[in-house]
Amino acid sequence: MVNDVGLAEELAQDALVAALEQWPRDGVPDNPGAWLMAVAKRRAIDRIRRERRLEDKIGEIGHELETGAGPGGEPGAVPPEFDAVLDEDDIGDDLLRLVFTACHPVLSKQARVALTLRLLGGLTTDEIARAFLTSEATVAQRIVRAKRTLAEANVPFEVPAGPDRAARLASVLEVVYLVFNEGYAATAGDGWVRADLCLEALRLGRILAGLAPAEPEVHGLVALMEIQASRTRARTGASGEPVPLHEQDRALWDRLLIRRGFAALLRARGLGAPPGPYVLQAAIAASHARANGPEDTDWEGIAGLYELLARAAPSPVVELNRAVALGMAYGPERGLALADALADEPSLKGYHLLPSVRGDLLARLGRTDEARAEFERAADLTRNAPERRVLLERAAACGAAVPAAASSP
């Protein structure tokens, strides 16, 4: 209606505030969604009138509201024509429309991802910044500029069709996976896992798989998320502390999710295209899922998959994960050599997993003093409370038993 993402956010928030004020007093309406929509539309009309814009639209929307209002002038059902506009594309999912809108080509790739994470997952700018390995101020500026650009370009609220859909799909997949990752291993806060974000990302991924059944990377992403989500119950201990992959009770892994992940991976491979980044990551996750225990893991195969991934989607984080795999497949010296080569990488300067991985590898080499320092540095860098406690415990234990295996990605 208002062709402005920022303004739409404000109107939605105003409607929610009105509900918090009125529903405890008057009761929850029969159709809460319609009530909220009607209130937001009325606030939109007030805003349009105040700013003296879209005068022709005022009469049309005002008439719709009057005919759709409940008894006594209270907000009621919205006009069916308005609902028809919302449901005119082939998905019928407002959230997915919002993702595709925020991933419009008029925005830079960084702006698309930042804006969608903010709108879709409700992540703070700080959480998004840590996911991007960049500064909070940079992310805030991207979001503000993105909203302004969408408003100025009058980007429609829709799921695109044809070539436009394909062009935006890669950005949408990146956004969905970043949301999943924030749920899988929270960058900040008092909890290690945010199950709500994982479930939301899985839901969107499954919808995308139905929307683009011939796209291998869509199925690859779904496979990756299904298999990773299968470990959720085993990833935290009794006190909510993170449990490394090699220490997890694999009996707690969700076999249904694993089977669903394997099926999605088979669909991706069956399409015949060269494996992309998500298909390769799903294959890595599948290798872990096939192993009955840490000692059965095909680390050489995983290291080979990471080498392919580094070619398909080169990044310092992929190289760091490859260092872990090399250390497990061929010994900690090989892994440490690659991890050391990443020490001066600017984007990893504040990334706590770099010293954490180095600490693992140094501890396995018996260099406990150096390992302790790395674990302490990692603890200083992380913003997640349970993870910090585990890292400090590992630092304190460096003089005792050497860890059995490095932290796996």
Side-chain angles (χ1 to χ4, degrees):
M1 277 182 59
V2 296
N3 290 319
D4 186 322
V5 172
L7 177 56
E9 280 186 301
E10 292 178 19
L11 295 169
Q13 290 165 3
D14 286 349
L16 291 169
V17 170
L20 290 171
E21 292 173 346
Q22 297 182 38
W23 292 2
R25 182 187 67 234
D26 302 332
V28 178
D30 293 336
N31 191 336
W35 192 100
L36 290 166
M37 182 67 78
V39 170
K41 288 180 70 176
R42 285 189 172 185
R43 299 294 171 91
I45 292 170
D46 291 342
R47 182 69 171 258
I48 291 170
R49 283 174 175 158
R50 283 198 304 271
E51 297 181 1
R52 298 184 178 280
R53 293 186 293 120
L54 304 178
E55 294 185 359
D56 293 338
K57 197 68 176 175
I58 290 173
E60 177 186 338
I61 298 176
H63 174 71
E64 290 177 355
L65 279 174
E66 289 174 5
T67 58
E74 290 298 318
V78 293
E81 294 83 1
F82 188 76
D83 289 332
V85 171
L86 290 180
D87 292 332
E88 64 188 2
D89 64 50
D90 61 347
I91 288 189
D93 189 291
D94 287 345
L95 199 54
L96 197 59
R97 274 192 291 266
L98 185 58
V99 176
F100 271 97
T101 300
C103 290
H104 196 279
V106 74
L107 302 177
S108 69
K109 178 180 177 180
Q110 294 88 346
R112 296 176 211 171
V113 178
L115 179 61
T116 309
L117 283 172
R118 184 72 185 93
L119 295 178
L120 168 66
L123 274 65
T124 66
T125 53
D126 176 60
E127 290 169 333
I128 299 169
R130 292 185 67 80
F132 274 133
L133 303 180
T134 188
S135 71
E136 185 175 355
T138 298
V139 171
Q141 290 171 1
R142 286 176 185 170
I143 291 172
V144 170
R145 285 197 297 266
K147 291 178 180 179
R148 185 185 305 122
T149 300
L150 289 174
E152 293 172 352
N154 290 318
V155 172
F157 182 61
E158 64 182 7
V159 174
D164 288 343
R165 177 179 294 175
R168 279 191 250 175
L169 187 59
S171 184
V172 171
L173 294 180
E174 182 177 6
V175 168
V176 171
Y177 190 41
L178 281 171
V179 172
F180 179 86
N181 274 340
E182 180 59 31
Y184 188 72
T187 55
D190 297 326
W192 175 235
V193 175
R194 297 174 62 178
D196 56 335
L197 291 181
C198 289
L199 290 172
E200 187 59 36
L202 267 172
R203 186 183 74 87
L204 286 170
R206 291 163 182 162
I207 292 173
L208 282 169
L211 174 66
E215 293 290 340
E217 282 291 83
V218 175
H219 297 297
L221 175 58
V222 172
L224 174 60
M225 294 191 298
E226 299 276 16
I227 297 171
Q228 287 185 318
S230 73
R231 309 173 193 159
T232 299
R233 285 189 299 162
R235 294 188 67 248
T236 54
S239 302
E241 73 278 7
V243 178
L245 179 62
H246 68 277
E247 296 179 7
Q248 290 175 14
D249 180 358
R250 300 192 178 205
L252 295 177
W253 288 5
D254 190 319
R255 295 296 157 184
L256 174 60
L257 289 178
I258 290 174
R259 288 196 296 271
R260 294 179 68 159
F262 284 176
L265 183 56
L266 286 174
R267 282 193 290 273
R269 288 173 166 169
L271 292 169
Y278 293 113
V279 173
L280 289 169
Q281 291 177 80
I284 292 168
S287 293
H288 287 296
R290 291 190 191 99
N292 293 324
E295 67 283 355
D296 300 321
T297 303
D298 179 13
W299 281 108
E300 291 186 10
I302 290 173
L305 288 169
Y306 269 119
E307 186 173 351
L308 293 175
L309 180 59
R311 296 174 189 169
S315 82
V317 173
V318 171
E319 287 296 292
L320 183 60
N321 288 336
R322 189 163 75 89
V324 173
L326 287 173
M328 296 302 297
Y330 305 109
E333 297 90 347
R334 285 280 300 274
L336 186 60
L338 180 53
D340 287 348
L342 298 170
D344 295 327
E345 175 61 44
S347 63
L348 297 182
K349 285 293 185 184
Y351 192 47
H352 72 284
L353 289 182
L354 176 57
S356 176
V357 168
R358 291 194 76 250
D360 277 323
L361 295 166
L362 288 165
R364 291 173 59 204
L365 287 169
R367 295 160 60 178
T368 54
D369 289 342
E370 296 171 83
R372 182 184 300 109
E374 289 297 281
F375 286 132
E376 289 173 347
R377 179 167 168 253
D380 287 339
L381 289 174
T382 186
R383 300 283 292 278
N384 184 274
E387 188 174 31
R388 182 184 301 111
R389 288 193 296 271
V390 168
L391 288 166
L392 290 175
E393 289 171 2
R394 298 200 69 184
C398 273
V402 175
S407 296
S408 176

